[in-house]
Amino acid sequence: MTQAELSELVKRSEFTPVAGLSAEDCVTLYYYMQLTRTFEMRLASFYRQGKMVGGVYLGTGNEATSVGATYTLEDRDILAPTHRDIGAHFVKGESLRAMALQLLGRAEGPTGGKDNGLHQGNKEINTLGMISHLGAMISVAAGAALASKIKKSGQVAIHFIGDGTSSIGDFHEGLNFASVMELPVVYIIENNQYAYSTPNSKQYACDWIAQRAHGFDMPGIVVDGTDVVEMYRVTKWAVERARRGEGPALIESQTMRMRGHSEHDSADYVPQKVMEKWEDKDPIDILKNYLRDWGVLTDVTREQIDEQIESEVEKAFEYALDAPVPEGPEAANGVYAR
Amino acid sequence: MAEITYIQAISEGLREEMQRDESVFLLGEDIGNYGGAFKVTKGFVEEFGEERVIDTPLAESAIFGMSIGAALQDMRPVAEMQFSDFVSTGFNQLVNNAAKIHYRWGAAVPMTVRMPTGGGVHGGPFHSQNTEAWFFHVPGLKLVAPSNPYDAKGLIKAAIRDKNPVLYFEHKYLYRREKQELSGDDFLVEIGKGRVAREGEDLTVLTYGSMVPTSLEAASHLESRIDVEVIDLRSLMPLDMELIIGSIKKTNKALIVHEDIKTGGIGAELSARITEEAFEWLDGPIRRVASIDTPVPFAPSLEEYFMPNPDKIAAGIQQLWDY
Amino acid sequence: MRVEVVMPQMGESVAEGTIIKWHKQPGDAIEKDEILLEISTDKVDSEIPSSHEGKLAEITVEEGKTVDVGTTIAYIETEKDADIESSDNGESEKAEVAEDTAERSEEATAPANGEQIETKGRSGKDFYSPLVRSIAAKENVSQSELESIEGTGIGGRVRKQDLLGYLESRGTKPAARPTKQVQAIKYTGPMENVDVVEMDNIRKSIAKHMRTSLDTSAHVYSVSEVDMSKIVAFREKHKAEFQRKEGFKLTYTPFIADATVRALKDFPRVNASVDMDKGEVLEKRFVNLGMAVAIEDGLIVPVIKGADERSFLGLARETHRLANKARDKELDPDDVQGGTFTITNPGIFGNLYGLPIINQPQLGILGVGAIKKRPVVINDAIAIRSMMYLTLSYDHRVLDGAVGGQFLQRIVQYLEEFDGEGIL
Ligand SMILES: Cc1ncc(C[n+]2csc(CCOP(=O)(O)OP(=O)(O)O)c2C)c(N)n1
Ligand SMILES: [Mg+2]
């Protein structure tokens, strides 16, 4: 849905902006989060129906973090997402159709079937494509921010990092370097409590990953990552600070991976109690309540949006499923830039 | 004797070595309660405890560094890479540290690195690579690549008992596809010894890992016309040159098949060695059937084009035979 | 329309899945995304939602069964017609991929992986491989000889097999090539009902000789029939008297030996051996006739020395003497050496004929079948005659079919024309 279409639905009279977010902004955030959820649930079904090749990694529980943080960016800014950030891609401007084509490995998709998952980059909207090797993008995001600093372009970069990923050596190298050079980059830990089957207790010994920011001499902030407004507020602060040339920041979003690591994983290593606790903190439900309480959206209009999203997602997949797979010999092309 | 899969053979080998030798322990991401991404170590924590089956943080370089440290104190660590592709983030510890210690100051580094390898499973560029050639160039490392449950078990045990860093390339495609009956005996497969997977007179196919069953299939398609010998190298470093050269002297034609890309692969070295040692015995050029020189593409149609398959190998055999 | 439900892949290395439970039965209505069944793989158990709305038409894989990923496990009947629906069916793409790659595989095989590598510059005919060059050097094959060889490789290149074929027909020893080490297949089954019998030395050496002979000579065979009626009649008439005079039975062997010796004198090429290294055939001007004798647990071939200088009676006496010695295991090494041709008697057990293996380094062996009364056509009338088959195994490296055939016919002729004049 377009911003204009969404604005139509908003009851804006009674609303005073929260954290700099207008009523339209709040509805737009809802749209992206719900879109993310709907899109991903389709993928989950497709996986079980044998329509997907390879693994499917979902960001259920991560919608507020991914969408809220990315919503702070301007078009010119740089986004380095990770594997649970479909929402961030959408906010930054990736189309549903491109996303569907990518995840189904179709010829027309952004990687033409050469790479899988959320690995696409897009120069037009300034997203950097990740590699599977976790941690590798930390200094790449710093490098993009370095270019901004050299060019004085005023661009800021955001990069998402998993809790598990924070253990790898690249984390230290990247954050240290970014801080030394006072680069306009904001690192956001998506602390979803698990790295595959590994709980935080086996991943790190400190209380918060954000504590480490101190050692790099940058701000370290822990946020409730299920509350999109909080997520937006804190990230906005860090982004503006970076844009002013005051250097990087580390934000730790506390959230939960509400499904298995990937769809083949039943996640039975997660204690039932833990799961239940987080089920009460579904980021989309939290926003729904806000919208209702603030009188921004009635349940009826919200359902209208939901239906509209359903049909957009359906259309994107209908197109993608029908789209041709790449021709074999295409495999040989594109290794070198010409 | 019960039939077991390739992946079960690896588990059995690990379990037997852990039972036999207290100094053997495992470390890797998600290998504990979860049993590993491919479930190789399922049930190991229950049997051996968390001290010997260590769930590590996501940090390959640290996994190798810790393995080296423990090995220098006479432990026998077995490190698991979740996918062999991720070995690159620990590269330095393997090629500059583990590989060179004995040469430099005489201390043995008895560690094993398990490397779930290879494509054909639609894993895309970062979950499908054959990384053996990265290490083939590094003196001090041993490299093995089993193609069947017997060798999988015999080689993991031999790797653990070896005094050197051994990279053990286990092919994901074979995990649940290759099955065999194995006796419960404590057997080893010697590192450095290849195996004749199929006897033949006309032409030798030199191969390893997932391409062994694929080449055998190609050979059986051609059976009525060409009598193909298939050599399963099993050990990539050291290579069993005696077996290889003996076969070339018999058949006089060599086709090298590997799933790794062609340029700079194991096949390049094999080809050079054969020319050096058996030039006068060649009745045709040494040829290779390998993956094309690109990253491993994701879409099945692309991956199919990328990799060797029985038809492509059969065509390679036929062309070389006709030469 | 009917759409397939397939076993999904639940993890990268998973090749198969087991159906735990069908939540719907054939005939049940099902909503899109409603749970249709539960499956289990060795990585995970999972509930599988339906990809379509409609009716479960058929279950093709029952609960508890394990099938490969991608196998059709059920069909759903949907309302929509085929045209619209096929677009939503993941299977159609898979089929496309499969077709697509199948089509391509022919040309793809070569350029992509195997790569058709052309020999540039020199044409196939002018290029000799290192192996061909080294064999040629070893065998003294000149450049012009090499050029004269018809190559069967690409572009007419002379391949290993072409050169080896040439050398064989040129009659020179082919280059030392590791002989094929055939790994004999061994019995590996249960041993409870198997008796293990040690091979003695005789058996081992027979085994070795037989194998060597087949690996050495190019065996060919001719078979002929002999009318033995005259000889049978002659023997019937004289056997009692013979037994009394000589003290042993008159057998058919001396008749056959006599005819064979005479034929060998007519065809010296058969009474010969060959030296492939030197490229020479050694024709013997004497006949030492080997006579295969079955003994208790084996077979031995004593040799009648100077058979061509012996009379019929002489042949009969020597045959008897050597056979006795053989059965008593008293043969001297000298008794079994120096044969130039051998006769063996597969007919002794009543068999019509056998195809014997040549006794190296000889070039031929005669197999004698059983004498049986058979109706035969003589001058367009049927008569009952005592017939016998003779088989000749001979070495095609040196003996052409013409020589072998004529030689055998000559033996037949001598036997049939037997008149018995004054032989006793
Ligand atoms: C360097 C590296 N090692 C191992 C892996 C395999 N792997 C993929 S995802 C994952 C867990 C990641 O956990 P985390 O960083 O917390 O991100 P999450 O998946 O929880 O969002 C692992 C170990 C990898 N991708 N990269
Ligand atoms: Mg995590």
Side-chain angles (χ1 to χ4, degrees), chain A residues 242-264:
Chain A
R243 210 184 297 281
R244 288 195 302 272
E246 292 171 30
L250 179 63
I251 299 170
E252 176 176 351
S253 153
Q254 282 288 332
T255 173
M256 179 66 191
R257 194 191 74 205
M258 295 302 292
R259 301 182 72 88
H261 168 66
S262 90
E263 286 304 292
H264 78 257

Side-chain angles (χ1 to χ4, degrees), chain A residues 147-278:
Chain A
S148 161
K149 185 176 173 177
I150 293 170
K151 294 194 284 188
K152 301 195 171 49
S153 62
Q155 294 160 287
V156 176
I158 281 185
H159 177 43
F160 296 101
I161 302 170
D163 44 276
T165 307
S166 77
S167 298
I168 204 159
D170 291 12
F171 179 85
H172 175 85
E173 298 180 21
L175 266 69
N176 182 56
F177 205 175
S179 190
V180 167
M181 302 202 66
E182 298 186 305
L183 299 176
V185 55
V186 176
Y187 291 110
I188 297 171
I189 306 279
E190 294 175 334
N191 192 336
N192 56 12
Q193 317 304 317
Y194 283 85
Y196 207 152
S197 76
T198 308
N200 284 345
S201 59
K202 286 189 171 182
Q203 196 67 250
Y204 54 86
C206 46
D207 292 333
W208 310 102
I209 297 172
Q211 283 171 255
R212 296 185 195 156
H214 188 65
F216 297 116
D217 194 25
M218 63 172 81
I221 307 148
V222 182
V223 196
D224 176 356
T226 62
D227 182 339
V228 70
V229 177
E230 267 305 281
M231 197 64 220
Y232 176 83
R233 191 177 63 79
V234 172
T235 314
K236 185 76 180 168
W237 172 82
V239 166
E240 289 314 318
R241 185 180 169 276
R243 210 184 297 281
R244 288 195 302 272
E246 292 171 30
L250 179 63
I251 299 170
E252 176 176 351
S253 153
Q254 282 288 332
T255 173
M256 179 66 191
R257 194 191 74 205
M258 295 302 292
R259 301 182 72 88
H261 168 66
S262 90
E263 286 304 292
H264 78 257
D265 171 22
S266 57
D268 46 18
Y269 45 81
V270 178
Q272 192 59 36
K273 273 222 207 87
V274 172
M275 224 30 166
E276 278 162 13
K277 181 192 125 196
W278 285 97

Side-chain angles (χ1 to χ4, degrees), chain B residues 15-22 24 76 157 160-161 186:
Chain B
R15 179 176 285 114
E16 285 174 21
E17 288 308 290
M18 289 184 79
Q19 287 164 345
R20 187 187 61 81
D21 181 352
E22 284 277 302
V24 178
R76 295 204 173 238
K157 290 166 73 96
I160 292 170
R161 294 188 203 184
D186 177 30

Side-chain angles (χ1 to χ4, degrees), chain A residues 42 45 47-51 54-55 57 106 196 263-266 314 318 321-329, chain C residues 6 8-12 32-33 43-52 87-90 93-94 97 100 104:
Chain A
R42 262 314 45 203
S45 289
Y47 182 76
R48 285 170 177 72
Q49 291 161 358
K51 289 182 183 173
Y57 303 80
R106 294 303 198 263
Y196 207 152
E263 286 304 292
H264 78 257
D265 171 22
S266 57
E314 197 63 42
E318 215 165 87
L321 282 169
D322 219 10
V325 300
E327 294 282 336
Chain C
V6 299
Q9 177 150 29
M10 302 294 285
E12 271 96 349
K32 184 170 180 180
D33 290 333
K43 287 184 102 179
V44 71
D45 292 350
S46 190
E47 291 180 336
I48 305 300
S50 171
S51 57
H52 291 77
S87 66
D88 190 32
N89 182 358
E93 279 99 31
K94 272 189 204 144
V97 184
D100 196 35
R104 215 176 26 249

